[in-house]
Every structure is written in structure tokens, then in C-alpha cells.
Amino acid sequence: MVMLLGCHNDAVTLCFVFQQVMAVRPDLRQHYVRACQNLGQPENPFIARVLQEADKNDKIRGTKGITLKIAGNNRLVPVQRVTDDDLQVLASVLRSTVLVTGLDLRYNVLTDAGAKNMATFLQENCTLRYLNLMFNDIGTSGAELIARALHRNETLVYLRMTGNKIGNKGGMFFASMLQINSTLEKLDLGDTDMEETTVRVALMLKNNSSLVELHLGKHEMKNFGVEQLCEALYENSSLRYLDLSCNKITCDGVKFLGELLKRNQTLEILDLNANRIEDDGAFYLSEALTLYNRTLQALSVVSNNISGKGLVALSDAMKTHMELSYIYIWGNKFDEATCMAFSELIQMGRLKPNCTDVEPYEVDGHVHLAELSYGLQKHYYWTPSCGEVTNKDANARLAIAAVSEYL
């Protein structure tokens, strides 16, 4: 397999040995039972159930691999959340198979001790491509261990640390890691109690050529941070998805983003949800999109205190910027001109009804806009009780190329 190239000698040897038996159907459930006995740990029935289901998965016969979804917020089956001790056992099981390429451990109770086990696993493993650790209890020291493990790991392409309170120091460790790691493509550090690391992240983006997706939501980022980030992205030619949602960005910060859009030719998705860019910010964006940029495909300005003038300017930009296909505007100040402008875009076919979060309707001869449950990532924090969401209307990022291998 190609993924063996670049793995360290011990890991290469292990992978080679286990690939020789890939044609034999593994029994993850039995491996787990034996590992619990060997380590003197009680079985976690939730883990056992997931592994048993994985054993039945036809994909496990081939080389594509599977993702184990051991999410602690699963409401479809009884859940016993994964602890540090549980992870130690699970890691010992996964070391003996190359068939698991994704691991979803969101909303469990893993701490820095669990992060230590995960870091060891990442240093030894050469098949895992997706790791979701969002909303566990990992702190600064755990972040350091995982980040340092990724100095050596050359297969992981997507890491979600969302909601772990790793703080500024933890963020620094990941920024430093990205100056060394050349494999990771998608990194989510949103809502991690980071407030002062934007400059360090910006410096990293000047040199990193592998990252295509970066989430920096809820970072208390202000206009200076945006300026530093944009200056770095002038020299970056790989990033395609930038999430700056839920920060403190005003029109002054968007001025820098406008300049970035004039010069950057790779960015495809820009999420400014829940900032405060107002009309002036909308004008900066619309000018860049109308006259210069031809690569942006999706823009979210939800809940940004934009009034009719700014929203109409953005609608006008769509008439000349033909690559911009997705736009989300709910939570701003709609007037009649706004309603007419977006109704016209939809009626003329320029804006598809499933590519925006508003729908026009008429009452007494006046056009209004109703909200639709569509967006870039409506299910960022949760999934409905009916199971995983693959609806590309509610999660438009899944429909945009090269940014959507995993939820």
C-alpha cells in the first residue's frame, strides 16, 4: 500500500505483517474481549457493540477501511462513555489491524491520560486517517502529547479537537506541529479556549502546504488577528476552507479579508457566521467578489448585523461572480429590497433553493424571506436522533470538492 511509504521502520514492519492477513476476516470483538482480560479491565459494552457491528461490515474485507463511530452522544443505542482506561484497551486492539482508518470518539470523557495513550498510538499507527476527539476533557498537556505525536505520524489527514479546553499553550503546540507535519489536511481547533495564538497560526500558514481546511471558531479573534491571518494567507496556496465563525470580527477586520479575496486564488469556503461585519463589511466582501475574486464558492454571513444595503450588495456580487454558488444570510436585518433581491436570484436560477438558507414567499403583494435549515455545517456540534447526517443541503461543505472525506 502507498501509505506505507514514510512510516517508521517498526510501524512499517507491523503494517506489512498485518497486510498479509487482510484477506482473513478479523474479529475485532474477540480481540477486544481478550485485550480486556489481558489488561485486567472490564469490558465497555458500547465499545464491544461497535466492534461487533464492524465485524459484520463488508468494507472490512477490502482495503478501503472503516471508521469506528464510538461517539458518546449517540442517542440510538445505550452508551457507556469511553474512559482513559477504555481507550488504552481499544488502542491495543487497533494496533493489530490495518482495517480501521477512522476513529470517532467525540463526546466521551477522555482526559490528558487518554491523550497520552492516543499519542502513543498515533506514533505507532500508519493507517488511521481520521480522528475525532471533539468535546472530551483533554487539556494543555494532552494537546502537547498529541501534537508532538503528529511530528512523526504521516498518515492522519483529519483531526478534530473541537471543544477540548487546550488553551493558548495547547494551541501553540498545534501551530508548531503544522510547521513540521506535511500530511494533515484538515484541522479543527474551534471552541478550545484559545485567544492569543492567531499570530502563531498565521506564521505556520506561510510555510504549511498541506492544510486545506482550518477551523478557528470561538477564538475571541479580533481584527488584529484577522490581519495577521490574511497576511499569512497571501503566501499560502493550499487552504480552501477557512472557518472564522463566532469571533469578534468587525468591518475593519473584513477589510483585510476583502484584500485577501482579491489576491488569494485557492480559498473556496469562507465562514463568517456570528461576527459583526455590518454593512461596511458586506461592501468590502462584495467589492472583492464583484471585481477580483473568481474562486470562492461558499460564503456565510449569518447573524452579522447586516442591513438591506449590505445584503443587496452581496446579492449583486453573485450576478457577476459565477463561482459563488452558496450564500447564507439569515439572522441579519431584512428589508423589502433584500427580499426582492434574493427572490430574484432564486427565480432567475442564479441561486439554487438548496444553496441558501432563505426562501421567498409573498403576502399581500409583498415578498418576504423565510428561514431554511440549510448551511455550511448545520450539524457541527450534533446529529439528529435518527442518526448521522449526510444531507448536503444542511451541510453544504460536503458538496464542495476535496473538503468532505469525513463528517
Side-chain angles (χ1 to χ4, degrees):
M1 293 175 67
V2 175
M3 66 179 66
L4 286 177
L5 299 177
C7 286
H8 293 273
N9 292 337
D10 292 344
V12 171
T13 303
L14 284 172
C15 285
F16 177 78
V17 170
F18 291 121
Q19 282 181 70
Q20 305 310 304
V21 296
M22 280 187 73
V24 179
R25 191 179 188 89
D27 193 335
L28 296 174
R29 172 73 172 83
Q30 287 303 315
H31 289 175
Y32 176 66
V33 171
R34 288 196 293 270
C36 287
Q37 293 172 347
N38 293 338
L39 293 171
Q41 295 290 341
E43 292 181 35
N44 181 316
F46 182 38
I47 295 178
R49 180 190 181 109
V50 171
L51 294 180
Q52 189 170 22
E53 290 298 317
D55 287 332
K56 301 175 184 177
N57 193 323
D58 288 338
K59 291 180 182 179
I60 209 167
R61 294 178 181 271
T63 58
K64 184 178 180 180
I66 60 170
T67 294
L68 296 179
K69 297 181 179 179
I70 316 177
N73 65 339
N74 189 325
R75 288 172 285 182
L76 302 179
V77 297
V79 169
Q80 179 176 315
R81 292 188 172 181
V82 178
T83 66
D84 297 331
D85 291 338
D86 291 331
L87 181 59
Q88 181 183 13
V89 179
L90 180 62
S92 71
V93 173
L94 298 184
R95 287 190 187 101
S96 63
T97 177
V98 297
L99 300 168
V100 176
T101 55
L103 186 56
D104 184 348
L105 290 166
R106 72 182 102 171
Y107 290 100
N108 283 294
V109 289
L110 301 176
T111 69
D112 290 339
K116 182 177 181 180
N117 291 325
M118 181 55 67
T120 301
F121 176 72
L122 288 172
Q123 289 182 23
E124 299 172 351
N125 181 271
C126 65
T127 58
L128 197 71
R129 293 172 55 80
Y130 167 62
L131 177 60
N132 189 341
L133 294 172
M134 69 180 289
F135 283 96
N136 278 277
D137 297 317
I138 298 171
T140 300
S141 61
E144 179 181 8
L145 292 168
I146 291 173
R148 291 191 184 281
L150 293 177
H151 288 192
R152 295 181 56 187
N153 181 285
E154 296 179 358
T155 52
L156 195 72
V157 296
Y158 189 2
L159 174 63
R160 291 198 70 179
M161 291 294 294
T162 326
N164 288 286
K165 305 310 178 184
I166 65 175
N168 293 329
K169 287 185 178 180
M172 291 291 193
F173 292 125
F174 279 104
S176 298
M177 174 272 295
L178 287 169
Q179 292 181 306
I180 299 171
N181 182 289
S182 60
T183 309
L184 200 67
E185 296 179 7
K186 308 169 192 178
L187 177 62
D188 192 336
L189 296 176
D191 199 5
T192 51
D193 278 8
M194 292 167 54
E195 298 178 8
E196 303 169 1
T197 58
T198 308
V199 174
R200 187 65 179 270
V201 172
L203 291 173
M204 166 275 297
L205 287 172
K206 288 185 177 181
N207 302 317
N208 185 283
S209 60
S210 62
L211 205 66
V212 298
E213 178 175 327
L214 179 62
H215 296 264
L216 297 174
K218 290 190 178 180
H219 273 223
E220 298 287 322
M221 188 185 302
K222 300 180 179 66
N223 298 329
F224 176 73
V226 177
E227 180 181 11
Q228 299 299 309
L229 201 58
C230 289
E231 287 183 0
L233 287 174
Y234 291 147
E235 302 179 30
N236 181 283
S237 60
S238 63
L239 197 70
R240 302 176 68 180
Y241 183 177
L242 179 60
D243 173 11
L244 301 178
S245 60
C246 304
N247 280 292
K248 295 183 177 181
I249 302 169
T250 70
C251 60
D252 291 334
V254 177
K255 186 183 297 184
F256 301 115
L257 285 168
E259 290 300 315
L260 174 65
L261 289 174
K262 293 177 183 180
R263 298 165 58 176
N264 180 281
Q265 298 301 315
T266 55
L267 202 61
E268 295 179 354
I269 304 176
L270 178 59
D271 189 350
L272 294 173
N273 168 44
N275 284 283
R276 197 174 181 83
I277 74 171
E278 302 182 313
D279 286 344
D280 285 344
F283 292 147
Y284 292 135
L285 292 175
S286 62
E287 179 195 11
L289 295 171
T290 300
L291 300 175
Y292 302 95
N293 183 276
R294 289 295 177 267
T295 58
L296 199 71
Q297 296 183 32
L299 172 66
S300 176
V301 290
V302 171
S303 299
N304 265 278
N305 202 38
I306 307 171
S307 70
K309 292 180 180 179
L311 294 168
V312 170
L314 289 172
S315 73
D316 288 341
M318 291 198 70
K319 295 176 182 178
T320 57
H321 191 305
M322 304 311 292
E323 290 298 319
L324 185 60
S325 302
Y326 302 81
I327 188 166
Y328 304 99
I329 63 169
W330 189 259
N332 292 294
K333 300 175 180 179
F334 298 164
D335 59 7
E336 188 169 357
T338 301
C339 298
M340 290 295 294
F342 280 87
S343 176
E344 179 184 339
L345 285 176
I346 293 170
Q347 289 178 2
M348 67 189 293
R350 174 61 190 89
L351 180 59
K352 294 181 180 179
N354 62 339
C355 294
T356 185
D357 57 352
V358 294
E359 180 181 41
Y361 67 97
E362 189 173 324
V363 177
D364 296 333
H366 295 280
V367 177
H368 303 271
L369 296 176
E371 183 183 12
L372 296 177
S373 187
Y374 297 160
L376 285 176
Q377 45 182 10
K378 279 286 186 177
H379 304 103
Y380 181 71
Y381 286 115
W382 59 277
T383 56
S385 57
C386 58
E388 289 285 358
V389 175
T390 56
N391 184 347
K392 292 181 180 179
D393 296 336
N395 301 281
R397 64 192 178 91
L398 298 177
I400 300 175
V403 185
S404 57
E405 184 175 355
Y406 297 97
L407 289 173

